[in-house]
Amino acid sequence: MNYKVIISEDEIRERVKELGKEISSDFSDKKVILTGVLKGAYIFMSDLSRAVTIPHSIDFMAVSSYGSSTTSSGVVRILKDFDFPITNKHIILVEDIIDSGLTLKYLVNLLKSRSPASLSVCALLDKKSKHPGESLADYVGFEIPDKFVVGYGLDYDQYYRNLPYIAYLENIKG
Ligand code: IMP
Ligand code: MG
């Protein structure tokens, strides 16, 4: 399979540092729970957590969306939930990528119903053209075109997650 690097390791490192600074200043007086959405966010989450300089705890959710390997259906199965109740907590959901936004909208609705003190979303990548006019994340690493990408946690059929950069796979329709 051919792939082309679109965001380098250095660019990711710099941007993650900036996101960490932004989050740290926005939540300087709050106790936040950085919550990675598995599996795609596992690498972003570990780098972002180290870039956030305020004390914080972490948790993970694991979700699986019904659909093919490259498109989601919006029907989400929760494979792992928070370890503790999130009522009155400041939650920052850490996502790998927003494509149609269906997965994220489902999660946000679910979590809002549990009355957190606040709920923010930090996504490494956003395919803005797939959900025009809707701003779904409070923090976005990079806006990218509507192409199927892999690396830095993102997979194609569970592979390529370990690539240290973001690349797009040619011949895959996103
Ligand atoms: P959405 O529900 O369409 O926004 O899809 C979100 C989920 O689909 C992400 O959390 C990824 O797991 C997966 N996904 C969407 N686009 C891509 C991509 O370009 N590469 C790898 N996974 C993707
Ligand atoms: Mg995936």
Side-chain angles (χ1 to χ4, degrees):
M1 189 98 59
N2 290 328
Y3 57 84
K4 183 171 183 278
V5 177
I6 59 165
I7 307 171
S8 72
E9 223 176 322
D10 283 351
E11 288 172 304
I12 296 173
R13 191 180 310 112
E14 280 311 303
R15 187 69 188 116
V16 171
K17 251 193 229 158
E18 288 171 8
L19 290 171
K21 265 193 198 153
E22 233 183 292
I23 290 172
S24 305
S25 102
D26 292 353
F27 291 88
S28 58
D29 53 347
K30 309 225 161 59
K31 286 172 115 178
V32 300
I33 307 178
L34 278 192
T35 307
V37 183
L38 295 172
K39 301 177 198 162
Y42 78 114
I43 291 179
F44 179 38
M45 175 71 182
S46 72
D47 285 345
L48 184 67
S49 174
R50 285 175 288 185
V52 170
T53 53
I54 55 168
H56 62 277
S57 61
I58 61 146
D59 207 337
F60 289 97
M61 292 188 83
V63 304
S64 166
S65 76
Y66 292 102
S68 72
S69 54
T70 60
T71 57
S72 81
S73 63
V75 180
V76 175
R77 198 156 48 113
I78 306 291
L79 306 176
K80 186 218 168 286
D81 208 327
F82 280 86
D83 287 342
F84 301 103
I86 61 167
T87 311
N88 296 323
K89 308 281 187 196
H90 294 279
I91 306 298
I92 300 177
L93 266 191
V94 179
E95 264 278 21
D96 54 353
I97 187 166
I98 307 173
D99 186 317
S100 67
L102 291 172
T103 306
L104 184 57
K105 278 195 245 177
Y106 181 96
L107 277 184
V108 164
N109 282 335
L110 174 75
L111 299 183
K112 274 192 178 156
S113 73
R114 301 179 184 175
S115 308
S118 70
L119 179 61
S120 311
V121 174
C122 177
L124 178 69
L125 305 173
D126 191 355
K127 294 181 190 171
K128 270 257 162 79
S129 63
K130 295 289 287 290
H131 50 92
E134 285 184 310
S135 191
L136 300 174
D138 304 271
Y139 308 92
V140 171
F142 303 91
E143 286 182 20
I144 60 165
D146 180 16
K147 292 206 161 102
F148 197 82
V149 294
V150 294
Y152 199 69
L154 289 108
D155 72 303
Y156 174 61
D157 273 352
Q158 301 304 326
Y159 282 86
Y160 303 104
R161 293 191 196 274
N162 57 310
L163 297 178
Y165 40 73
I166 303 285
Y168 77 79
L169 286 184
E170 281 155 7
N171 310 322
I172 298 285
K173 215 184 145 352

